[in-house]
Amino acid sequence: MTNAPSRLNLDSAALVSNWHALAAMSGSAACGAAIKADGYGLGAMQIVSRLADAGCRDFFVATWAEAEPLASFGVSVSVLHGVREEDLAQAGAGGARPVLNTVNQIARWKQAGGGSCDVMVDTGMNRLGVSVDDIAAGLLDGLQVETLMSHLACADQDHAMNERQRMAFAALAGRTGARRMSLANSAGIALGESYAFDLTRPGIALYGGVPRPEFAGVIRQVVTPEAQILQRRHVPAGASVGYNATFTTTRDTQVAILNLGYADGYFRGFSGTGAALFEERQLPVLGRVSMDLIAIDVSTAPELAEGDWVALDYGLPVAAAASGMSQYELLTGLGERFQRCWTVS
Ligand SMILES: *Cc1c(COP(=O)(O)O)cnc(C)c1O
Protein backbone atom coordinates (compact mmCIF):
# COMPACT_ATOMS: atom_id res chain seq x y z
CA MET A 1 0.00 0.00 0.00
CA THR A 2 1.47 3.31 -1.03
CA ASN A 3 0.17 6.86 -0.68
CA ALA A 4 -1.52 6.03 2.63
CA PRO A 5 -2.36 9.15 4.66
CA SER A 6 -0.68 7.63 7.71
CA ARG A 7 2.63 5.86 8.12
CA LEU A 8 4.92 4.33 10.71
CA ASN A 9 8.42 5.68 10.61
CA LEU A 10 10.53 2.68 11.65
CA ASP A 11 14.13 3.38 12.63
CA SER A 12 16.42 0.56 11.48
CA ALA A 13 19.46 1.96 13.26
CA ALA A 14 17.56 2.20 16.55
CA LEU A 15 16.33 -1.40 16.24
CA VAL A 16 19.84 -2.72 15.62
CA SER A 17 21.31 -0.49 18.34
CA ASN A 18 18.74 -1.84 20.83
CA TRP A 19 19.64 -5.42 19.97
CA HIS A 20 23.37 -4.68 20.44
CA ALA A 21 22.64 -3.01 23.80
CA LEU A 22 20.59 -6.00 24.98
CA ALA A 23 23.25 -8.42 23.70
CA ALA A 24 25.90 -6.52 25.68
CA MET A 25 23.73 -6.60 28.83
CA SER A 26 23.28 -10.35 28.30
CA GLY A 27 27.01 -10.87 28.98
CA SER A 28 28.29 -14.15 27.63
CA ALA A 29 24.77 -15.39 26.77
CA ALA A 30 23.53 -15.25 23.18
CA CYS A 31 20.79 -12.69 22.56
CA GLY A 32 17.75 -13.72 20.52
CA ALA A 33 14.61 -11.83 19.55
CA ALA A 34 10.90 -12.36 20.24
CA ILE A 35 9.10 -11.47 17.01
CA LYS A 36 5.64 -12.91 17.68
CA ALA A 37 2.54 -10.90 16.69
CA ASP A 38 4.30 -9.80 13.49
CA GLY A 39 7.26 -8.37 15.32
CA TYR A 40 5.06 -6.65 17.92
CA GLY A 41 3.14 -5.02 15.07
CA LEU A 42 6.11 -3.58 13.22
CA GLY A 43 6.65 -6.36 10.64
CA ALA A 44 8.41 -9.62 11.51
CA MET A 45 10.08 -10.16 8.13
CA GLN A 46 11.71 -6.73 8.16
CA ILE A 47 12.88 -7.25 11.73
CA VAL A 48 14.36 -10.68 11.11
CA SER A 49 16.27 -9.49 8.07
CA ARG A 50 17.79 -6.57 10.01
CA LEU A 51 18.58 -8.50 13.19
CA ALA A 52 19.96 -11.51 11.31
CA ASP A 53 22.36 -9.12 9.55
CA ALA A 54 23.37 -7.76 12.96
CA GLY A 55 24.20 -11.31 14.14
CA CYS A 56 21.02 -12.45 15.89
CA ARG A 57 20.48 -16.19 15.42
CA ASP A 58 17.52 -17.15 17.64
CA PHE A 59 13.97 -15.98 16.96
CA PHE A 60 10.73 -16.71 18.82
CA VAL A 61 7.21 -16.71 17.36
CA ALA A 62 3.92 -17.83 18.93
CA THR A 63 2.43 -20.00 16.17
CA TRP A 64 3.36 -22.07 13.13
CA ALA A 65 1.62 -19.57 10.86
CA GLU A 66 4.09 -16.98 12.13
CA ALA A 67 7.03 -19.33 11.56
CA GLU A 68 6.21 -20.20 7.96
CA PRO A 69 7.40 -17.01 6.16
CA LEU A 70 10.70 -17.06 8.09
CA ALA A 71 11.95 -20.39 6.74
CA SER A 72 14.09 -18.73 4.07
CA PHE A 73 16.24 -16.72 6.50
CA GLY A 74 18.33 -19.66 7.68
CA VAL A 75 17.99 -18.69 11.34
CA SER A 76 16.73 -20.66 14.32
CA VAL A 77 12.98 -20.19 14.86
CA SER A 78 11.21 -21.51 17.97
CA VAL A 79 7.42 -21.75 18.11
CA LEU A 80 6.42 -20.83 21.65
CA HIS A 81 2.97 -22.45 21.64
CA GLY A 82 4.37 -25.89 20.87
CA VAL A 83 2.84 -28.44 18.59
CA ARG A 84 -0.77 -29.51 18.06
CA GLU A 85 -1.82 -32.48 15.95
CA GLU A 86 -2.61 -29.99 13.15
CA ASP A 87 0.96 -28.63 13.24
CA LEU A 88 2.85 -31.91 12.93
CA ALA A 89 3.30 -31.81 9.15
CA GLN A 90 4.83 -28.32 9.23
CA ALA A 91 6.82 -29.03 12.39
CA GLY A 92 8.25 -32.21 10.89
CA ALA A 93 9.50 -30.32 7.83
CA GLY A 94 12.15 -28.75 10.03
CA GLY A 95 12.04 -25.01 9.25
CA ALA A 96 11.37 -24.27 12.92
CA ARG A 97 11.15 -26.26 16.14
CA PRO A 98 8.41 -26.40 18.75
CA VAL A 99 8.72 -25.25 22.33
CA LEU A 100 6.97 -28.16 24.03
CA ASN A 101 4.76 -26.94 26.88
CA THR A 102 2.64 -29.88 28.05
CA VAL A 103 2.92 -33.59 28.76
CA ASN A 104 0.65 -34.20 25.75
CA GLN A 105 2.81 -32.11 23.45
CA ILE A 106 5.89 -34.06 24.55
CA ALA A 107 4.15 -37.39 23.95
CA ARG A 108 2.96 -36.17 20.53
CA TRP A 109 6.45 -35.04 19.56
CA LYS A 110 8.07 -38.29 20.68
CA GLN A 111 5.41 -40.32 18.85
CA ALA A 112 5.99 -38.31 15.65
CA GLY A 113 9.67 -39.23 15.76
CA GLY A 114 11.12 -36.55 18.01
CA GLY A 115 13.80 -34.40 16.53
CA SER A 116 15.22 -31.19 17.86
CA CYS A 117 12.85 -29.27 20.13
CA ASP A 118 12.76 -26.75 22.96
CA VAL A 119 10.95 -27.27 26.25
CA MET A 120 9.19 -24.74 28.49
CA VAL A 121 9.23 -25.44 32.22
CA ASP A 122 6.96 -23.57 34.61
CA THR A 123 8.84 -22.06 37.54
CA GLY A 124 5.93 -20.20 39.10
CA MET A 125 4.10 -18.12 36.50
CA ASN A 126 1.48 -20.84 35.99
CA ARG A 127 1.02 -19.96 32.37
CA LEU A 128 2.68 -22.40 29.93
CA GLY A 129 5.12 -25.18 30.69
CA VAL A 130 5.68 -28.61 32.22
CA SER A 131 6.43 -28.92 35.92
CA VAL A 132 9.83 -29.22 37.54
CA ASP A 133 8.58 -32.43 39.19
CA ASP A 134 7.65 -34.01 35.86
CA ILE A 135 11.13 -33.23 34.57
CA ALA A 136 12.69 -34.79 37.68
CA ALA A 137 10.55 -37.88 37.04
CA GLY A 138 12.10 -38.31 33.58
CA LEU A 139 9.55 -36.62 31.30
CA LEU A 140 12.28 -35.38 28.96
CA ASP A 141 14.14 -38.69 28.70
CA GLY A 142 14.83 -39.55 25.09
CA LEU A 143 14.01 -36.03 23.85
CA GLN A 144 16.53 -34.05 21.85
CA VAL A 145 16.22 -30.73 23.71
CA GLU A 146 17.97 -27.75 22.18
CA THR A 147 16.87 -25.09 24.69
CA LEU A 148 15.22 -25.49 28.08
CA MET A 149 13.23 -22.33 28.83
CA SER A 150 11.23 -20.75 31.56
CA HIS A 151 9.49 -17.36 31.66
CA LEU A 152 9.56 -14.67 34.36
CA ALA A 153 6.22 -13.40 35.66
CA CYS A 154 7.36 -10.18 37.36
CA ALA A 155 10.64 -9.14 35.74
CA ASP A 156 9.42 -5.57 35.17
CA GLN A 157 9.07 -5.15 38.95
CA ASP A 158 11.41 -5.62 41.91
CA HIS A 159 9.54 -8.68 43.13
CA ALA A 160 10.62 -11.64 45.28
CA MET A 161 9.30 -13.97 42.59
CA ASN A 162 12.18 -13.10 40.25
CA GLU A 163 14.80 -14.70 42.47
CA ARG A 164 12.53 -17.66 43.32
CA GLN A 165 12.04 -18.39 39.62
CA ARG A 166 15.76 -17.97 38.87
CA MET A 167 16.70 -20.43 41.64
CA ALA A 168 14.12 -23.00 40.55
CA PHE A 169 15.37 -22.75 36.97
CA ALA A 170 19.07 -22.84 37.90
CA ALA A 171 18.44 -26.05 39.85
CA LEU A 172 17.65 -27.78 36.54
CA ALA A 173 21.12 -27.08 35.12
CA GLY A 174 22.80 -30.30 34.00
CA ARG A 175 19.72 -32.39 34.78
CA THR A 176 17.92 -32.45 31.41
CA GLY A 177 20.40 -32.93 28.59
CA ALA A 178 19.31 -29.57 27.12
CA ARG A 179 22.08 -27.92 25.13
CA ARG A 180 21.16 -24.41 26.38
CA MET A 181 19.05 -22.73 29.05
CA SER A 182 17.05 -19.52 28.58
CA LEU A 183 15.07 -17.49 31.12
CA ALA A 184 15.19 -13.73 30.55
CA ASN A 185 12.82 -11.58 28.47
CA SER A 186 13.70 -7.87 28.04
CA ALA A 187 13.08 -6.91 31.66
CA GLY A 188 14.83 -10.08 32.85
CA ILE A 189 18.02 -8.98 31.10
CA ALA A 190 18.11 -5.88 33.31
CA LEU A 191 17.93 -8.06 36.46
CA GLY A 192 21.58 -9.01 35.93
CA GLU A 193 23.77 -11.56 34.20
CA SER A 194 22.73 -14.34 36.59
CA TYR A 195 19.36 -14.24 34.80
CA ALA A 196 20.86 -14.56 31.31
CA PHE A 197 21.92 -18.25 31.35
CA ASP A 198 22.88 -19.23 27.75
CA LEU A 199 20.31 -17.31 25.71
CA THR A 200 18.11 -14.26 26.30
CA ARG A 201 14.77 -13.58 24.58
CA PRO A 202 14.04 -9.84 24.47
CA GLY A 203 10.99 -8.51 22.67
CA ILE A 204 9.58 -5.18 23.82
CA ALA A 205 12.93 -3.44 24.44
CA LEU A 206 14.09 -4.23 20.89
CA TYR A 207 11.17 -2.14 19.67
CA GLY A 208 11.75 0.83 21.96
CA GLY A 209 9.92 -0.34 25.08
CA VAL A 210 11.36 0.57 28.48
CA PRO A 211 10.01 -2.06 30.88
CA ARG A 212 12.52 -1.19 33.63
CA PRO A 213 14.34 2.05 34.54
CA GLU A 214 17.72 0.43 33.76
CA PHE A 215 16.85 0.78 30.06
CA ALA A 216 16.20 4.54 30.14
CA GLY A 217 18.82 6.28 28.03
CA VAL A 218 19.95 2.91 26.62
CA ILE A 219 16.98 1.85 24.51
CA ARG A 220 16.10 4.04 21.53
CA GLN A 221 12.64 4.74 20.13
CA VAL A 222 12.01 2.65 17.01
CA VAL A 223 8.48 3.53 15.87
CA THR A 224 6.91 6.93 15.29
CA PRO A 225 3.40 7.12 13.84
CA GLU A 226 2.91 10.00 11.43
CA ALA A 227 -0.28 11.28 9.83
CA GLN A 228 -1.33 13.83 7.28
CA ILE A 229 -3.49 16.85 8.07
CA LEU A 230 -6.90 16.40 6.45
CA GLN A 231 -8.29 19.77 7.42
CA ARG A 232 -7.13 22.87 9.27
CA ARG A 233 -9.83 24.98 10.86
CA HIS A 234 -10.36 27.98 13.10
CA VAL A 235 -12.42 27.25 16.20
CA PRO A 236 -13.62 30.31 18.12
CA ALA A 237 -13.49 30.54 21.90
CA GLY A 238 -16.31 28.67 23.61
CA ALA A 239 -16.89 26.04 20.90
CA SER A 240 -16.54 22.28 21.35
CA VAL A 241 -14.40 19.83 19.38
CA GLY A 242 -15.23 16.20 18.57
CA TYR A 243 -17.64 13.51 19.76
CA ASN A 244 -19.71 14.23 22.85
CA ALA A 245 -18.31 17.76 23.00
CA THR A 246 -15.89 16.76 25.77
CA PHE A 247 -13.51 19.61 24.97
CA THR A 248 -14.44 23.29 24.77
CA THR A 249 -11.99 25.96 23.64
CA THR A 250 -11.22 28.73 26.12
CA ARG A 251 -9.73 30.95 23.41
CA ASP A 252 -9.62 31.19 19.64
CA THR A 253 -7.88 27.97 18.57
CA GLN A 254 -6.35 26.66 15.37
CA VAL A 255 -7.20 22.97 15.01
CA ALA A 256 -5.82 20.33 12.62
CA ILE A 257 -7.68 17.10 11.93
CA LEU A 258 -5.31 14.17 11.40
CA ASN A 259 -5.75 11.01 9.41
CA LEU A 260 -5.57 8.46 12.23
CA GLY A 261 -7.71 7.17 15.07
CA TYR A 262 -8.38 4.30 17.38
CA ALA A 263 -8.93 1.89 14.48
CA ASP A 264 -5.23 2.41 13.73
CA GLY A 265 -4.24 1.68 17.32
CA TYR A 266 -4.15 5.31 18.39
CA PHE A 267 -6.37 4.43 21.32
CA ARG A 268 -9.18 6.42 22.93
CA GLY A 269 -6.99 6.69 26.02
CA PHE A 270 -5.13 9.44 24.18
CA SER A 271 -8.30 11.58 24.20
CA GLY A 272 -7.24 14.87 25.79
CA THR A 273 -3.89 13.35 26.87
CA GLY A 274 -1.93 12.56 23.68
CA ALA A 275 0.06 14.99 21.55
CA ALA A 276 1.68 15.41 18.18
CA LEU A 277 5.16 16.84 17.79
CA PHE A 278 6.21 19.43 15.27
CA GLU A 279 9.71 20.92 15.43
CA GLU A 280 10.01 20.46 19.20
CA ARG A 281 6.51 21.87 19.75
CA GLN A 282 3.87 19.78 21.55
CA LEU A 283 0.51 19.93 19.81
CA PRO A 284 -2.07 18.49 22.26
CA VAL A 285 -4.89 16.16 21.23
CA LEU A 286 -8.21 17.97 21.72
CA GLY A 287 -11.30 16.02 22.79
CA ARG A 288 -12.09 12.43 21.89
CA VAL A 289 -10.05 10.24 19.59
CA SER A 290 -12.41 9.08 16.80
CA MET A 291 -12.15 5.82 14.86
CA ASP A 292 -10.21 7.36 11.95
CA LEU A 293 -9.48 10.93 13.05
CA ILE A 294 -8.06 13.05 15.84
CA ALA A 295 -7.99 16.81 16.41
CA ILE A 296 -4.83 18.56 17.58
CA ASP A 297 -4.16 22.15 18.63
CA VAL A 298 -1.92 23.78 16.01
CA SER A 299 -2.24 27.36 17.30
CA THR A 300 1.54 27.38 17.90
CA ALA A 301 2.29 26.02 14.41
CA PRO A 302 0.86 28.52 11.91
CA GLU A 303 2.94 27.03 9.10
CA LEU A 304 1.13 23.66 9.21
CA ALA A 305 -1.42 23.31 6.41
CA GLU A 306 -3.79 20.76 4.90
CA GLY A 307 -1.69 17.92 3.44
CA ASP A 308 1.29 18.41 5.78
CA TRP A 309 2.57 15.52 7.90
CA VAL A 310 2.97 15.54 11.67
CA ALA A 311 4.45 12.93 14.00
CA LEU A 312 2.69 11.67 17.09
CA ASP A 313 4.47 11.80 20.44
CA TYR A 314 4.95 8.03 20.82
CA GLY A 315 7.85 7.53 23.19
CA LEU A 316 6.50 4.32 24.73
CA PRO A 317 6.85 4.95 28.50
CA VAL A 318 5.24 8.39 28.24
CA ALA A 319 2.61 7.30 25.71
CA ALA A 320 1.68 4.35 27.95
CA ALA A 321 1.23 6.65 30.94
CA ALA A 322 -0.80 9.12 28.85
CA SER A 323 -3.14 6.50 27.35
CA GLY A 324 -3.45 4.00 30.19
CA MET A 325 -2.38 1.23 27.77
CA SER A 326 0.69 -0.98 28.18
CA GLN A 327 3.74 -0.38 26.01
CA TYR A 328 3.03 -3.81 24.47
CA GLU A 329 -0.51 -2.82 23.45
CA LEU A 330 0.73 0.45 21.97
CA LEU A 331 2.93 -1.55 19.59
CA THR A 332 0.80 -4.59 18.80
CA GLY A 333 -2.28 -2.42 18.23
CA LEU A 334 -0.71 -0.48 15.35
CA GLY A 335 -2.98 -1.23 12.40
CA GLU A 336 -2.71 -2.23 8.79
CA ARG A 337 -3.65 1.17 7.38
CA PHE A 338 -0.24 2.57 8.26
CA GLN A 339 2.35 2.36 5.52
CA ARG A 340 5.44 0.92 7.24
CA CYS A 341 8.52 2.90 6.22
CA TRP A 342 11.96 1.75 7.37
CA THR A 343 14.59 4.46 7.57
CA VAL A 344 18.06 4.76 9.04
CA SER A 345 18.48 7.59 11.54
C1 LIG B 1 6.93 -12.56 24.54
C2 LIG B 1 7.92 -13.41 25.18
C3 LIG B 1 9.22 -12.95 25.38
C4 LIG B 1 9.64 -11.52 25.15
O1 LIG B 1 9.11 -10.72 26.21
P1 LIG B 1 9.37 -9.14 26.33
O2 LIG B 1 8.76 -8.79 27.64
O3 LIG B 1 8.62 -8.52 25.18
O4 LIG B 1 10.81 -8.90 26.25
C5 LIG B 1 10.16 -13.85 25.86
N1 LIG B 1 9.80 -15.13 26.17
C6 LIG B 1 8.54 -15.59 26.01
C7 LIG B 1 8.23 -16.98 26.37
C8 LIG B 1 7.56 -14.75 25.54
O5 LIG B 1 6.30 -15.19 25.41
Side-chain angles (χ1 to χ4, degrees), residues 254-281:
Q254 294 292 319
V255 174
I257 309 301
L258 298 188
N259 247 303
L260 94 167
Y262 61 76
D264 300 296
Y266 194 76
F267 294 116
R268 273 166 45 103
F270 286 112
S271 301
T273 68
L277 287 175
F278 180 70
E279 294 180 350
E280 316 281 293
R281 276 166 274 173

Side-chain angles (χ1 to χ4, degrees), residues 34 36 40 80 120 127 151 184-187 201-205 328:
K36 59 206 185 187
Y40 289 42
L80 289 164
M120 178 69 72
R127 196 175 65 170
H151 193 53
N185 61 346
S186 300
R201 310 187 303 266
I204 191 80
Y328 296 84

Side-chain angles (χ1 to χ4, degrees), residues 175-333:
R175 299 197 11 222
T176 67
R179 204 176 70 78
R180 302 187 294 183
M181 295 178 74
S182 173
L183 177 64
N185 61 346
S186 300
I189 292 171
L191 295 178
E193 286 187 25
S194 63
Y195 283 80
F197 292 86
D198 304 308
L199 171 66
T200 58
R201 310 187 303 266
I204 191 80
L206 289 170
Y207 313 118
V210 178
R212 289 189 61 95
E214 291 88 340
F215 291 122
V218 175
I219 292 301
R220 290 167 55 183
Q221 184 172 340
V222 173
V223 55
T224 306
E226 297 173 343
Q228 237 174 343
I229 296 174
L230 195 52
Q231 182 169 27
R232 183 177 171 118
R233 62 167 59 248
H234 173 81
V235 180
S240 70
V241 175
Y243 276 126
N244 303 108
T246 60
F247 173 80
T248 302
T249 51
T250 55
R251 53 180 168 75
D252 279 11
T253 304
Q254 294 292 319
V255 174
I257 309 301
L258 298 188
N259 247 303
L260 94 167
Y262 61 76
D264 300 296
Y266 194 76
F267 294 116
R268 273 166 45 103
F270 286 112
S271 301
T273 68
L277 287 175
F278 180 70
E279 294 180 350
E280 316 281 293
R281 276 166 274 173
Q282 285 262 340
L283 312 175
V285 171
L286 303 178
R288 290 260 159 95
V289 172
S290 300
M291 183 184 293
D292 317 303
L293 298 166
I294 61 170
I296 59 171
D297 186 340
V298 289
S299 303
T300 60
E303 62 272 62
L304 280 176
E306 188 174 320
D308 286 346
W309 288 83
V310 293
L312 278 300
D313 189 356
Y314 217 68
L316 289 173
V318 170
S323 63
M325 308 297 284
S326 72
Q327 297 180 48
Y328 296 84
E329 290 164 294
L330 292 182
L331 291 176
T332 58

